[in-house]
Amino acid sequence: MSARSENPGASSELTAAGEPELRACAQPDPALAGTPRAEGTPPVRPALGCGRRGRNCSSRAGRGGHVVRGCRDKERAWEPERSGTGGLAAAGHLSNSMASPKKKLQGLVAATITPMTEHGEINFSVIGRYVDYLVEEQGVKNVFVNGTTGEGLSLSISERCRVAEEWVTKGRNKLDQIVIHVGALSLKESQELAQHAAEIGADGIAVIAPFFLKPWNKDVLINFLKEVAAAAPALPFYYYHIPALTGVKIRAEELLDGIQDKIPSFQGLKFSDTDLLDFGQCVDQNRQRQFAFLFGVDEQLLSALVMGATGAVGSTYNYLGKKTKQMLEAFERKDFSSALNHQFCIQRFINFVVKLGFGVSQTKAIMTLVSGIPMGPPRLPLQKASREFTDNAEAKLKSLDFLSCTDLKDGNMEACS
Ligand SMILES: CC(=O)N[C@@H]([C@@H](O)[C@H](O)[C@H](O)CO)[C@@H](O)CC(=O)C(=O)O
């Protein structure tokens, strides 16, 4: 199947009478006024420690007189108390408890890509441009850093710290919320990343289930998450449910039952799965709680909105943020047929690339093409997307009116090759 052989410039929208009506995917762009970092929200604190470029991690005096070592220290004596009220965790807590309560994470959240050079090193130099692109071109003001799309698990701990710092620094006064994924196979590393996120002034942390030696039931998983959360007790904590990648099939609905008793900083769920029964029950059983329910399957977001999703974290919001916001706005004003039309258009693109083979590598290639910011190749074991893939994706984006020739700034294609 060739992208060019299709004629997808129109999509089927259900009319009030239920009759399909052909309508072009292109919609006039409403003014997507972004919300600046909330008044009264504390400014991002300056980055501390290990992530500074050109500097190796070393011990430093932390808050409360504790010696806090950098992210790369292997031998740190980490002893957060089970209650989460003592030791180094308490140092983080004291500093963070001064902060006013964070506003709820909602709306679109871009799962950020980690830009890399052709030599496989992280290209920190483009992150500032990336922030501006998300805010100004896509109207997206929340980011989820070092997750799946960011190849977080393929980075060293030191690299993860430095990437997080760069986002916090460059996002200051521009982004609303910066959530750092701190999941790792090692509890110690996860705690280290969590504390680092608190130190640099991130807005929240998220954690996946450890996926090599796996928790075998809900209580064990909760115990793991609780220990990570205790390292940054004042930071909103999100559980990142992505069973297809972790292989941990514990249902989110089960996990959420009573979770705040164990993890007081628990704030919500990032749900990257297609089981809408599980997702719906997470929402239904927690209606009295102010949790954030962030859906992570971009092609099914509309269904999740109906189920009560309060926001969405995904890879496509990097370059289809503006389009997806149109769907959210239609949903808000209860214009469901228009919302469905938007969702179908987005599905057409995702369906097309999924058939070609779609993952993090392809996301990097598409984002490079659309934004003109060189995202570089992925890190092994992932392989760079082929030129053929990028050509086909480009044709599809254009045919859906997701990309016009004027969007393609000089050098976008060069950046792809
Ligand atoms: C498996 C996967 O990568 N899922 C993506 C989706 O945004 C996905 O790319 C999209 O729905 C297209 O299938 C996100 O859920 C991942 C994500 O939020 C992350 O990078 O942490």
Side-chain angles (χ1 to χ4, degrees), residues 109-112 144 146-151 181 240 242 245 270-273 295-300 313-317 350 354 358-360 363:
V109 183
T112 60
F144 186 84
N146 288 336
T148 307
T149 308
E151 300 172 83
H181 171 243
Y240 180 179
I242 184 158
L245 290 187
K270 169 174 161 16
F271 190 95
S272 284
D273 190 35
F295 196 64
V297 184
D298 312 2
E299 54 275 39
Q300 298 181 356
V313 184
S315 70
T316 63
Y317 311 136
I350 295 177
V354 162
F358 181 66
V360 172
T363 294

PDB file of all heavy atoms in Angstrom, residues 109-112 144 146-151 181 240 242 245 270-273 295-300 313-317 350 354 358-360 363, ligand 1:
ATOM      1  N   VAL A 109      -0.284  16.398  27.296  1.00  0.00           N
ATOM      2  CA  VAL A 109       1.079  16.303  27.814  1.00  0.00           C
ATOM      3  C   VAL A 109       1.908  15.614  26.733  1.00  0.00           C
ATOM      4  O   VAL A 109       1.581  14.492  26.325  1.00  0.00           O
ATOM      5  CB  VAL A 109       1.123  15.456  29.113  1.00  0.00           C
ATOM      6  CG1 VAL A 109       2.524  15.424  29.696  1.00  0.00           C
ATOM      7  CG2 VAL A 109       0.106  15.948  30.142  1.00  0.00           C
ATOM      8  N   ALA A 110       2.935  16.274  26.251  1.00  0.00           N
ATOM      9  CA  ALA A 110       3.784  15.637  25.235  1.00  0.00           C
ATOM     10  C   ALA A 110       4.767  14.692  25.917  1.00  0.00           C
ATOM     11  O   ALA A 110       5.474  15.087  26.847  1.00  0.00           O
ATOM     12  CB  ALA A 110       4.550  16.703  24.444  1.00  0.00           C
ATOM     13  N   ALA A 111       4.762  13.443  25.461  1.00  0.00           N
ATOM     14  CA  ALA A 111       5.787  12.489  25.906  1.00  0.00           C
ATOM     15  C   ALA A 111       7.033  12.840  25.099  1.00  0.00           C
ATOM     16  O   ALA A 111       7.085  12.597  23.891  1.00  0.00           O
ATOM     17  CB  ALA A 111       5.328  11.064  25.623  1.00  0.00           C
ATOM     18  N   THR A 112       7.994  13.452  25.749  1.00  0.00           N
ATOM     19  CA  THR A 112       9.090  14.050  24.975  1.00  0.00           C
ATOM     20  C   THR A 112      10.056  13.011  24.406  1.00  0.00           C
ATOM     21  O   THR A 112      10.290  11.953  24.983  1.00  0.00           O
ATOM     22  CB  THR A 112       9.887  15.052  25.831  1.00  0.00           C
ATOM     23  OG1 THR A 112      10.434  14.352  26.958  1.00  0.00           O
ATOM     24  CG2 THR A 112       9.011  16.198  26.299  1.00  0.00           C
ATOM     25  N   PHE A 144       6.173  15.165  29.584  1.00  0.00           N
ATOM     26  CA  PHE A 144       6.473  13.939  30.328  1.00  0.00           C
ATOM     27  C   PHE A 144       7.839  13.479  29.821  1.00  0.00           C
ATOM     28  O   PHE A 144       7.965  13.030  28.674  1.00  0.00           O
ATOM     29  CB  PHE A 144       5.377  12.910  30.027  1.00  0.00           C
ATOM     30  CG  PHE A 144       5.473  11.648  30.832  1.00  0.00           C
ATOM     31  CD1 PHE A 144       4.924  11.579  32.112  1.00  0.00           C
ATOM     32  CD2 PHE A 144       6.096  10.529  30.324  1.00  0.00           C
ATOM     33  CE1 PHE A 144       4.998  10.410  32.850  1.00  0.00           C
ATOM     34  CE2 PHE A 144       6.173   9.356  31.062  1.00  0.00           C
ATOM     35  CZ  PHE A 144       5.621   9.299  32.326  1.00  0.00           C
ATOM     36  N   ASN A 146      11.603  11.549  29.756  1.00  0.00           N
ATOM     37  CA  ASN A 146      12.314  10.286  30.027  1.00  0.00           C
ATOM     38  C   ASN A 146      11.390   9.076  30.123  1.00  0.00           C
ATOM     39  O   ASN A 146      11.685   8.107  30.821  1.00  0.00           O
ATOM     40  CB  ASN A 146      13.172  10.374  31.312  1.00  0.00           C
ATOM     41  CG  ASN A 146      14.396  11.246  31.139  1.00  0.00           C
ATOM     42  OD1 ASN A 146      14.881  11.440  30.017  1.00  0.00           O
ATOM     43  ND2 ASN A 146      14.915  11.779  32.227  1.00  0.00           N
ATOM     44  N   GLY A 147      10.265   9.157  29.434  1.00  0.00           N
ATOM     45  CA  GLY A 147       9.361   8.006  29.396  1.00  0.00           C
ATOM     46  C   GLY A 147       9.735   7.066  28.265  1.00  0.00           C
ATOM     47  O   GLY A 147      10.900   6.966  27.864  1.00  0.00           O
ATOM     48  N   THR A 148       8.713   6.414  27.728  1.00  0.00           N
ATOM     49  CA  THR A 148       8.949   5.468  26.636  1.00  0.00           C
ATOM     50  C   THR A 148       9.498   6.190  25.413  1.00  0.00           C
ATOM     51  O   THR A 148      10.540   5.805  24.866  1.00  0.00           O
ATOM     52  CB  THR A 148       7.608   4.787  26.258  1.00  0.00           C
ATOM     53  OG1 THR A 148       7.033   4.230  27.439  1.00  0.00           O
ATOM     54  CG2 THR A 148       7.810   3.706  25.216  1.00  0.00           C
ATOM     55  N   THR A 149       8.797   7.247  25.000  1.00  0.00           N
ATOM     56  CA  THR A 149       9.197   8.006  23.818  1.00  0.00           C
ATOM     57  C   THR A 149      10.572   8.641  24.022  1.00  0.00           C
ATOM     58  O   THR A 149      11.348   8.772  23.073  1.00  0.00           O
ATOM     59  CB  THR A 149       8.139   9.101  23.539  1.00  0.00           C
ATOM     60  OG1 THR A 149       6.849   8.472  23.495  1.00  0.00           O
ATOM     61  CG2 THR A 149       8.406   9.825  22.246  1.00  0.00           C
ATOM     62  N   GLY A 150      10.875   9.014  25.246  1.00  0.00           N
ATOM     63  CA  GLY A 150      12.166   9.627  25.566  1.00  0.00           C
ATOM     64  C   GLY A 150      13.279   8.615  25.753  1.00  0.00           C
ATOM     65  O   GLY A 150      14.386   8.982  26.139  1.00  0.00           O
ATOM     66  N   GLU A 151      13.003   7.332  25.502  1.00  0.00           N
ATOM     67  CA  GLU A 151      13.999   6.263  25.648  1.00  0.00           C
ATOM     68  C   GLU A 151      14.629   6.282  27.055  1.00  0.00           C
ATOM     69  O   GLU A 151      15.824   5.988  27.215  1.00  0.00           O
ATOM     70  CB  GLU A 151      15.098   6.393  24.582  1.00  0.00           C
ATOM     71  CG  GLU A 151      14.562   6.319  23.151  1.00  0.00           C
ATOM     72  CD  GLU A 151      15.627   6.633  22.107  1.00  0.00           C
ATOM     73  OE1 GLU A 151      16.397   5.727  21.753  1.00  0.00           O
ATOM     74  OE2 GLU A 151      15.689   7.795  21.647  1.00  0.00           O
ATOM     75  N   HIS A 181       9.687  10.940  34.369  1.00  0.00           N
ATOM     76  CA  HIS A 181       9.559   9.508  34.611  1.00  0.00           C
ATOM     77  C   HIS A 181      10.838   9.018  35.288  1.00  0.00           C
ATOM     78  O   HIS A 181      11.944   9.223  34.768  1.00  0.00           O
ATOM     79  CB  HIS A 181       9.332   8.738  33.294  1.00  0.00           C
ATOM     80  CG  HIS A 181       9.412   7.261  33.517  1.00  0.00           C
ATOM     81  ND1 HIS A 181      10.362   6.455  32.925  1.00  0.00           N
ATOM     82  CD2 HIS A 181       8.675   6.457  34.318  1.00  0.00           C
ATOM     83  CE1 HIS A 181      10.198   5.217  33.354  1.00  0.00           C
ATOM     84  NE2 HIS A 181       9.176   5.197  34.191  1.00  0.00           N
ATOM     85  N   TYR A 240       2.616   4.866  36.175  1.00  0.00           N
ATOM     86  CA  TYR A 240       2.637   4.765  34.710  1.00  0.00           C
ATOM     87  C   TYR A 240       2.337   3.308  34.352  1.00  0.00           C
ATOM     88  O   TYR A 240       3.186   2.438  34.485  1.00  0.00           O
ATOM     89  CB  TYR A 240       4.019   5.207  34.219  1.00  0.00           C
ATOM     90  CG  TYR A 240       4.253   5.188  32.720  1.00  0.00           C
ATOM     91  CD1 TYR A 240       5.482   5.596  32.212  1.00  0.00           C
ATOM     92  CD2 TYR A 240       3.294   4.786  31.801  1.00  0.00           C
ATOM     93  CE1 TYR A 240       5.745   5.595  30.847  1.00  0.00           C
ATOM     94  CE2 TYR A 240       3.542   4.782  30.436  1.00  0.00           C
ATOM     95  CZ  TYR A 240       4.776   5.180  29.975  1.00  0.00           C
ATOM     96  OH  TYR A 240       5.027   5.159  28.622  1.00  0.00           O
ATOM     97  N   ILE A 242       1.754   0.596  31.786  1.00  0.00           N
ATOM     98  CA  ILE A 242       2.006   0.283  30.378  1.00  0.00           C
ATOM     99  C   ILE A 242       2.336  -1.212  30.288  1.00  0.00           C
ATOM    100  O   ILE A 242       3.471  -1.636  30.037  1.00  0.00           O
ATOM    101  CB  ILE A 242       3.095   1.217  29.755  1.00  0.00           C
ATOM    102  CG1 ILE A 242       3.298   0.971  28.274  1.00  0.00           C
ATOM    103  CG2 ILE A 242       4.410   1.203  30.533  1.00  0.00           C
ATOM    104  CD1 ILE A 242       3.925   2.117  27.482  1.00  0.00           C
ATOM    105  N   LEU A 245       4.447  -3.180  27.578  1.00  0.00           N
ATOM    106  CA  LEU A 245       5.907  -3.066  27.583  1.00  0.00           C
ATOM    107  C   LEU A 245       6.546  -3.621  28.852  1.00  0.00           C
ATOM    108  O   LEU A 245       7.629  -4.191  28.801  1.00  0.00           O
ATOM    109  CB  LEU A 245       6.346  -1.608  27.371  1.00  0.00           C
ATOM    110  CG  LEU A 245       6.086  -1.054  25.967  1.00  0.00           C
ATOM    111  CD1 LEU A 245       6.705   0.327  25.803  1.00  0.00           C
ATOM    112  CD2 LEU A 245       6.654  -1.969  24.884  1.00  0.00           C
ATOM    113  N   LYS A 270      -1.151   7.333  34.715  1.00  0.00           N
ATOM    114  CA  LYS A 270      -0.921   7.483  33.282  1.00  0.00           C
ATOM    115  C   LYS A 270      -1.192   6.108  32.698  1.00  0.00           C
ATOM    116  O   LYS A 270      -0.462   5.161  32.955  1.00  0.00           O
ATOM    117  CB  LYS A 270       0.520   7.913  33.020  1.00  0.00           C
ATOM    118  CG  LYS A 270       0.927   7.852  31.573  1.00  0.00           C
ATOM    119  CD  LYS A 270       2.302   8.432  31.401  1.00  0.00           C
ATOM    120  CE  LYS A 270       3.006   8.025  30.124  1.00  0.00           C
ATOM    121  NZ  LYS A 270       2.251   7.438  29.055  1.00  0.00           N
ATOM    122  N   PHE A 271      -2.256   6.011  31.937  1.00  0.00           N
ATOM    123  CA  PHE A 271      -2.789   4.714  31.517  1.00  0.00           C
ATOM    124  C   PHE A 271      -2.494   4.501  30.031  1.00  0.00           C
ATOM    125  O   PHE A 271      -3.207   4.990  29.166  1.00  0.00           O
ATOM    126  CB  PHE A 271      -4.297   4.705  31.786  1.00  0.00           C
ATOM    127  CG  PHE A 271      -4.952   3.356  31.632  1.00  0.00           C
ATOM    128  CD1 PHE A 271      -5.155   2.524  32.717  1.00  0.00           C
ATOM    129  CD2 PHE A 271      -5.407   2.925  30.384  1.00  0.00           C
ATOM    130  CE1 PHE A 271      -5.788   1.290  32.585  1.00  0.00           C
ATOM    131  CE2 PHE A 271      -6.033   1.689  30.230  1.00  0.00           C
ATOM    132  CZ  PHE A 271      -6.226   0.877  31.336  1.00  0.00           C
ATOM    133  N   SER A 272      -1.441   3.736  29.745  1.00  0.00           N
ATOM    134  CA  SER A 272      -1.072   3.453  28.354  1.00  0.00           C
ATOM    135  C   SER A 272      -1.478   2.031  28.005  1.00  0.00           C
ATOM    136  O   SER A 272      -0.634   1.141  27.838  1.00  0.00           O
ATOM    137  CB  SER A 272       0.438   3.643  28.148  1.00  0.00           C
ATOM    138  OG  SER A 272       0.768   5.001  28.085  1.00  0.00           O
ATOM    139  N   ASP A 273      -2.768   1.825  27.917  1.00  0.00           N
ATOM    140  CA  ASP A 273      -3.276   0.503  27.569  1.00  0.00           C
ATOM    141  C   ASP A 273      -4.639   0.685  26.914  1.00  0.00           C
ATOM    142  O   ASP A 273      -5.294   1.714  27.098  1.00  0.00           O
ATOM    143  CB  ASP A 273      -3.389  -0.365  28.836  1.00  0.00           C
ATOM    144  CG  ASP A 273      -3.684  -1.821  28.510  1.00  0.00           C
ATOM    145  OD1 ASP A 273      -3.181  -2.319  27.473  1.00  0.00           O
ATOM    146  OD2 ASP A 273      -4.444  -2.462  29.258  1.00  0.00           O
ATOM    147  N   PHE A 295      -4.654   9.540  29.803  1.00  0.00           N
ATOM    148  CA  PHE A 295      -4.728   8.410  28.883  1.00  0.00           C
ATOM    149  C   PHE A 295      -3.526   8.444  27.933  1.00  0.00           C
ATOM    150  O   PHE A 295      -3.088   9.511  27.510  1.00  0.00           O
ATOM    151  CB  PHE A 295      -6.041   8.475  28.102  1.00  0.00           C
ATOM    152  CG  PHE A 295      -6.387   7.184  27.428  1.00  0.00           C
ATOM    153  CD1 PHE A 295      -6.659   6.046  28.171  1.00  0.00           C
ATOM    154  CD2 PHE A 295      -6.438   7.101  26.039  1.00  0.00           C
ATOM    155  CE1 PHE A 295      -6.982   4.844  27.550  1.00  0.00           C
ATOM    156  CE2 PHE A 295      -6.766   5.903  25.412  1.00  0.00           C
ATOM    157  CZ  PHE A 295      -7.033   4.780  26.166  1.00  0.00           C
ATOM    158  N   GLY A 296      -3.031   7.262  27.577  1.00  0.00           N
ATOM    159  CA  GLY A 296      -1.780   7.204  26.810  1.00  0.00           C
ATOM    160  C   GLY A 296      -1.869   6.477  25.482  1.00  0.00           C
ATOM    161  O   GLY A 296      -0.847   6.053  24.946  1.00  0.00           O
ATOM    162  N   VAL A 297      -3.100   6.295  24.975  1.00  0.00           N
ATOM    163  CA  VAL A 297      -3.226   5.673  23.649  1.00  0.00           C
ATOM    164  C   VAL A 297      -3.882   6.727  22.761  1.00  0.00           C
ATOM    165  O   VAL A 297      -5.110   6.879  22.752  1.00  0.00           O
ATOM    166  CB  VAL A 297      -4.058   4.367  23.701  1.00  0.00           C
ATOM    167  CG1 VAL A 297      -4.078   3.689  22.334  1.00  0.00           C
ATOM    168  CG2 VAL A 297      -3.499   3.419  24.762  1.00  0.00           C
ATOM    169  N   ASP A 298      -3.069   7.446  22.046  1.00  0.00           N
ATOM    170  CA  ASP A 298      -3.513   8.672  21.378  1.00  0.00           C
ATOM    171  C   ASP A 298      -4.662   8.421  20.398  1.00  0.00           C
ATOM    172  O   ASP A 298      -5.566   9.245  20.268  1.00  0.00           O
ATOM    173  CB  ASP A 298      -2.340   9.331  20.635  1.00  0.00           C
ATOM    174  CG  ASP A 298      -1.089   9.430  21.508  1.00  0.00           C
ATOM    175  OD1 ASP A 298      -1.113   8.972  22.658  1.00  0.00           O
ATOM    176  OD2 ASP A 298      -0.078   9.961  21.026  1.00  0.00           O
ATOM    177  N   GLU A 299      -4.609   7.278  19.732  1.00  0.00           N
ATOM    178  CA  GLU A 299      -5.614   6.975  18.709  1.00  0.00           C
ATOM    179  C   GLU A 299      -6.974   6.639  19.311  1.00  0.00           C
ATOM    180  O   GLU A 299      -7.970   6.523  18.606  1.00  0.00           O
ATOM    181  CB  GLU A 299      -5.124   5.836  17.791  1.00  0.00           C
ATOM    182  CG  GLU A 299      -4.683   4.554  18.476  1.00  0.00           C
ATOM    183  CD  GLU A 299      -3.226   4.585  18.952  1.00  0.00           C
ATOM    184  OE1 GLU A 299      -2.783   5.633  19.447  1.00  0.00           O
ATOM    185  OE2 GLU A 299      -2.559   3.542  18.832  1.00  0.00           O
ATOM    186  N   GLN A 300      -7.031   6.464  20.630  1.00  0.00           N
ATOM    187  CA  GLN A 300      -8.303   6.137  21.291  1.00  0.00           C
ATOM    188  C   GLN A 300      -8.696   7.190  22.317  1.00  0.00           C
ATOM    189  O   GLN A 300      -9.538   6.932  23.189  1.00  0.00           O
ATOM    190  CB  GLN A 300      -8.195   4.774  21.987  1.00  0.00           C
ATOM    191  CG  GLN A 300      -7.923   3.634  21.034  1.00  0.00           C
ATOM    192  CD  GLN A 300      -7.847   2.299  21.738  1.00  0.00           C
ATOM    193  OE1 GLN A 300      -7.917   2.232  22.954  1.00  0.00           O
ATOM    194  NE2 GLN A 300      -7.697   1.239  20.963  1.00  0.00           N
ATOM    195  N   VAL A 313      -1.305  11.776  27.841  1.00  0.00           N
ATOM    196  CA  VAL A 313       0.147  11.834  27.641  1.00  0.00           C
ATOM    197  C   VAL A 313       0.440  10.998  26.411  1.00  0.00           C
ATOM    198  O   VAL A 313       0.036   9.838  26.342  1.00  0.00           O
ATOM    199  CB  VAL A 313       0.914  11.207  28.836  1.00  0.00           C
ATOM    200  CG1 VAL A 313       2.419  11.374  28.648  1.00  0.00           C
ATOM    201  CG2 VAL A 313       0.473  11.806  30.150  1.00  0.00           C
ATOM    202  N   GLY A 314       1.131  11.554  25.434  1.00  0.00           N
ATOM    203  CA  GLY A 314       1.400  10.731  24.262  1.00  0.00           C
ATOM    204  C   GLY A 314       2.477  11.288  23.366  1.00  0.00           C
ATOM    205  O   GLY A 314       2.865  12.460  23.468  1.00  0.00           O
ATOM    206  N   SER A 315       2.938  10.424  22.487  1.00  0.00           N
ATOM    207  CA  SER A 315       4.023  10.794  21.566  1.00  0.00           C
ATOM    208  C   SER A 315       3.533  11.707  20.448  1.00  0.00           C
ATOM    209  O   SER A 315       4.249  12.594  20.002  1.00  0.00           O
ATOM    210  CB  SER A 315       4.634   9.526  20.969  1.00  0.00           C
ATOM    211  OG  SER A 315       3.721   8.902  20.072  1.00  0.00           O
ATOM    212  N   THR A 316       2.288  11.496  19.997  1.00  0.00           N
ATOM    213  CA  THR A 316       1.852  12.257  18.821  1.00  0.00           C
ATOM    214  C   THR A 316       1.546  13.724  19.152  1.00  0.00           C
ATOM    215  O   THR A 316       1.444  14.541  18.242  1.00  0.00           O
ATOM    216  CB  THR A 316       0.606  11.618  18.156  1.00  0.00           C
ATOM    217  OG1 THR A 316      -0.492  11.660  19.079  1.00  0.00           O
ATOM    218  CG2 THR A 316       0.862  10.178  17.750  1.00  0.00           C
ATOM    219  N   TYR A 317       1.423  14.031  20.453  1.00  0.00           N
ATOM    220  CA  TYR A 317       1.133  15.425  20.808  1.00  0.00           C
ATOM    221  C   TYR A 317       2.347  16.325  20.553  1.00  0.00           C
ATOM    222  O   TYR A 317       2.228  17.537  20.574  1.00  0.00           O
ATOM    223  CB  TYR A 317       0.631  15.535  22.255  1.00  0.00           C
ATOM    224  CG  TYR A 317      -0.472  14.524  22.521  1.00  0.00           C
ATOM    225  CD1 TYR A 317      -0.516  13.760  23.669  1.00  0.00           C
ATOM    226  CD2 TYR A 317      -1.456  14.310  21.546  1.00  0.00           C
ATOM    227  CE1 TYR A 317      -1.510  12.808  23.858  1.00  0.00           C
ATOM    228  CE2 TYR A 317      -2.450  13.357  21.719  1.00  0.00           C
ATOM    229  CZ  TYR A 317      -2.465  12.605  22.877  1.00  0.00           C
ATOM    230  OH  TYR A 317      -3.447  11.655  23.040  1.00  0.00           O
ATOM    231  N   ILE A 350      -2.358   7.577  12.350  1.00  0.00           N
ATOM    232  CA  ILE A 350      -1.702   6.571  13.198  1.00  0.00           C
ATOM    233  C   ILE A 350      -1.854   5.175  12.587  1.00  0.00           C
ATOM    234  O   ILE A 350      -0.907   4.387  12.547  1.00  0.00           O
ATOM    235  CB  ILE A 350      -2.239   6.640  14.653  1.00  0.00           C
ATOM    236  CG1 ILE A 350      -1.856   8.000  15.273  1.00  0.00           C
ATOM    237  CG2 ILE A 350      -1.669   5.502  15.497  1.00  0.00           C
ATOM    238  CD1 ILE A 350      -2.378   8.233  16.690  1.00  0.00           C
ATOM    239  N   VAL A 354       1.265   2.881  11.701  1.00  0.00           N
ATOM    240  CA  VAL A 354       1.356   1.604  12.419  1.00  0.00           C
ATOM    241  C   VAL A 354       1.548   0.460  11.420  1.00  0.00           C
ATOM    242  O   VAL A 354       2.332  -0.467  11.639  1.00  0.00           O
ATOM    243  CB  VAL A 354       0.102   1.388  13.307  1.00  0.00           C
ATOM    244  CG1 VAL A 354      -0.067  -0.072  13.708  1.00  0.00           C
ATOM    245  CG2 VAL A 354       0.187   2.265  14.565  1.00  0.00           C
ATOM    246  N   PHE A 358       5.618   1.354  13.466  1.00  0.00           N
ATOM    247  CA  PHE A 358       5.676   2.643  14.160  1.00  0.00           C
ATOM    248  C   PHE A 358       6.127   2.458  15.604  1.00  0.00           C
ATOM    249  O   PHE A 358       5.642   1.593  16.311  1.00  0.00           O
ATOM    250  CB  PHE A 358       4.273   3.277  14.145  1.00  0.00           C
ATOM    251  CG  PHE A 358       4.207   4.616  14.813  1.00  0.00           C
ATOM    252  CD1 PHE A 358       4.884   5.699  14.288  1.00  0.00           C
ATOM    253  CD2 PHE A 358       3.472   4.784  15.980  1.00  0.00           C
ATOM    254  CE1 PHE A 358       4.821   6.951  14.910  1.00  0.00           C
ATOM    255  CE2 PHE A 358       3.400   6.029  16.603  1.00  0.00           C
ATOM    256  CZ  PHE A 358       4.076   7.105  16.060  1.00  0.00           C
ATOM    257  N   GLY A 359       7.059   3.274  15.998  1.00  0.00           N
ATOM    258  CA  GLY A 359       7.540   3.245  17.381  1.00  0.00           C
ATOM    259  C   GLY A 359       8.359   4.501  17.635  1.00  0.00           C
ATOM    260  O   GLY A 359       8.201   5.516  16.943  1.00  0.00           O
ATOM    261  N   VAL A 360       9.234   4.418  18.606  1.00  0.00           N
ATOM    262  CA  VAL A 360      10.008   5.593  19.017  1.00  0.00           C
ATOM    263  C   VAL A 360      10.880   6.125  17.860  1.00  0.00           C
ATOM    264  O   VAL A 360      10.967   7.338  17.633  1.00  0.00           O
ATOM    265  CB  VAL A 360      10.877   5.248  20.253  1.00  0.00           C
ATOM    266  CG1 VAL A 360      11.831   6.383  20.585  1.00  0.00           C
ATOM    267  CG2 VAL A 360       9.979   4.936  21.453  1.00  0.00           C
ATOM    268  N   THR A 363       8.746   8.023  15.540  1.00  0.00           N
ATOM    269  CA  THR A 363       8.317   9.283  16.170  1.00  0.00           C
ATOM    270  C   THR A 363       9.423  10.322  16.024  1.00  0.00           C
ATOM    271  O   THR A 363       9.172  11.497  15.729  1.00  0.00           O
ATOM    272  CB  THR A 363       7.988   9.040  17.661  1.00  0.00           C
ATOM    273  OG1 THR A 363       6.846   8.200  17.724  1.00  0.00           O
ATOM    274  CG2 THR A 363       7.696  10.344  18.395  1.00  0.00           C
TER     275      THR A 363
HETATM  276  C1  LIG B   1       3.648   2.453  23.505  1.00  0.00           C
HETATM  277  C2  LIG B   1       3.787   3.921  23.300  1.00  0.00           C
HETATM  278  O1  LIG B   1       4.826   4.368  22.896  1.00  0.00           O
HETATM  279  N1  LIG B   1       2.738   4.648  23.582  1.00  0.00           N
HETATM  280  C3  LIG B   1       2.739   6.095  23.454  1.00  0.00           C
HETATM  281  C4  LIG B   1       1.579   6.566  22.630  1.00  0.00           C
HETATM  282  O2  LIG B   1       1.597   7.965  22.545  1.00  0.00           O
HETATM  283  C5  LIG B   1       1.647   5.975  21.218  1.00  0.00           C
HETATM  284  O3  LIG B   1       2.854   6.359  20.611  1.00  0.00           O
HETATM  285  C6  LIG B   1       0.495   6.466  20.375  1.00  0.00           C
HETATM  286  O4  LIG B   1      -0.711   6.147  21.001  1.00  0.00           O
HETATM  287  C7  LIG B   1       0.538   5.836  18.978  1.00  0.00           C
HETATM  288  O5  LIG B   1       0.224   4.473  19.039  1.00  0.00           O
HETATM  289  C8  LIG B   1       2.676   6.736  24.836  1.00  0.00           C
HETATM  290  O6  LIG B   1       1.711   6.115  25.636  1.00  0.00           O
HETATM  291  C9  LIG B   1       4.049   6.620  25.449  1.00  0.00           C
HETATM  292  C10 LIG B   1       4.301   7.616  26.469  1.00  0.00           C
HETATM  293  O7  LIG B   1       3.442   8.294  26.938  1.00  0.00           O
HETATM  294  C11 LIG B   1       5.690   7.797  26.892  1.00  0.00           C
HETATM  295  O8  LIG B   1       6.524   8.088  26.063  1.00  0.00           O
HETATM  296  O9  LIG B   1       5.969   7.639  28.063  1.00  0.00           O
END
